[in-house]
Amino acid sequence: MKIVIFGGSGFIGESLVKTLSQEANAEIVVISRRPQYKYQTLPNVKWLVSSVTEDTSWQTTVKEADWVIDCIGILLPNPFKKQNYQSASINPALKLIHFIAKCQKPKFIFVSAKKIPFFISPYFKAKLRVETEIIDFLADRGQAIYPTIVYDQPKQRNWTTAQLILFANHWPLIKILVKDYLPIQRKILSQEVVKILNGQNSYLSKRNY
């Protein structure tokens, strides 16, 4: 099973690479703008330096893939890096979707979101935009997964936020308010993706869990 991961150097992508590398039947190609030499010790992981929106060197690899996983995206815009949701999240996803639609083989997984606080609603709207494109162009060959806040200790802000929500979840009155925002550990998300790749059901495949 050949799996191509875009954004494998990011917080979620890095965990996916490590988890999938333990699958005996998996051949993994990570496509990112930056090389990651720490993956050289993983025998079934290859690295391709490429940009979805700036070149086409990734296309041959995608054509040959069984699965393509899109982990590209930002949580907040960064004007100093000239990053916004359109350029950093929507455009790369749409380019992948439109290319995969012309191929016969690959299936597509997009890391979306279950629910987002109102103050970052543009982030959620960007996710919904990509989901609509998946339905229109890929039908049953494409799907989204819907994690809440993904946390792990290396990302301190996410970790702290997750611990606060988990603590609040123990209080009956507050529990109602946080039920749609219960965080998910990074390794659990990766394990759920493995289930999908192996044809099993995952609770992350539905937004209303």
Side-chain angles (χ1 to χ4, degrees):
M1 178 167 56
K2 186 170 184 176
I3 305 162
V4 176
I5 301 175
F6 284 86
S9 61
F11 180 64
I12 292 175
E14 181 182 72
S15 176
L16 274 173
V17 172
K18 291 178 181 178
T19 300
L20 289 169
S21 68
Q22 299 172 20
E23 295 291 302
N25 66 332
E27 176 190 349
I28 303 159
V29 180
V30 182
I31 299 180
S32 177
R33 291 177 299 172
R34 298 182 299 274
Q36 291 288 321
Y37 300 107
K38 58 188 173 183
Y39 294 131
Q40 289 182 343
T41 58
L42 301 175
N44 55 343
V45 177
K46 297 179 182 178
W47 197 274
L48 174 62
V49 177
S50 179
S51 169
V52 178
T53 57
E54 295 175 7
D55 63 69
T56 59
S57 60
W58 51 271
Q59 292 184 353
T60 300
T61 302
V62 167
K63 278 183 182 179
E64 300 169 348
D66 297 296
W67 287 93
V68 175
I69 304 174
D70 179 10
C71 301
I72 300 172
I74 56 172
L75 179 61
L76 295 170
N78 188 331
F80 298 104
K81 294 183 179 180
K82 297 181 180 180
Q83 290 181 339
N84 55 53
Y85 294 119
Q86 185 68 44
S87 63
S89 298
I90 297 175
N91 289 349
L94 298 193
K95 194 153 189 179
L96 283 174
I97 291 166
H98 295 165
F99 180 77
I100 291 171
K102 299 175 184 177
C103 305
Q104 294 182 348
K105 192 177 180 182
K107 293 183 179 180
F108 181 71
I109 295 177
F110 173 65
V111 181
S112 187
K114 180 182 180 182
K115 195 173 182 180
I116 293 297
F118 71 92
F119 52 85
I120 52 172
S121 61
Y123 170 85
F124 194 61
K125 290 178 180 178
K127 296 292 189 183
L128 293 177
R129 171 73 176 86
V130 175
E131 289 177 32
T132 299
E133 208 78 0
I134 292 172
I135 294 170
D136 291 344
F137 282 85
L138 296 181
D140 59 352
R141 281 206 294 140
Q143 71 174 91
I145 58 172
Y146 306 100
T148 50
I149 296 171
V150 182
Y151 72 100
D152 204 346
Q153 285 184 324
K155 202 163 188 177
Q156 192 60 44
R157 181 179 61 186
N158 291 39
W159 175 266
T160 302
T161 303
Q163 298 312 305
L164 290 172
I165 294 173
L166 291 171
F167 177 76
N169 192 50
H170 291 294
W171 299 84
L173 293 178
I174 303 178
K175 188 174 184 177
I176 298 173
L177 300 175
V178 301
K179 65 181 179 67
D180 288 328
Y181 303 100
L182 292 178
I184 177 174
Q185 284 185 295
R186 188 168 58 154
K187 66 178 181 180
I188 300 298
L189 186 152
S190 298
Q191 291 167 1
E192 291 299 313
V193 171
V194 171
K195 288 182 182 180
I196 295 171
L197 299 179
N198 288 324
Q200 302 171 8
N201 293 327
S202 168
Y203 76 93
L204 291 181
S205 295
K206 295 183 179 180
R207 182 171 270 127
N208 60 343
Y209 58 85

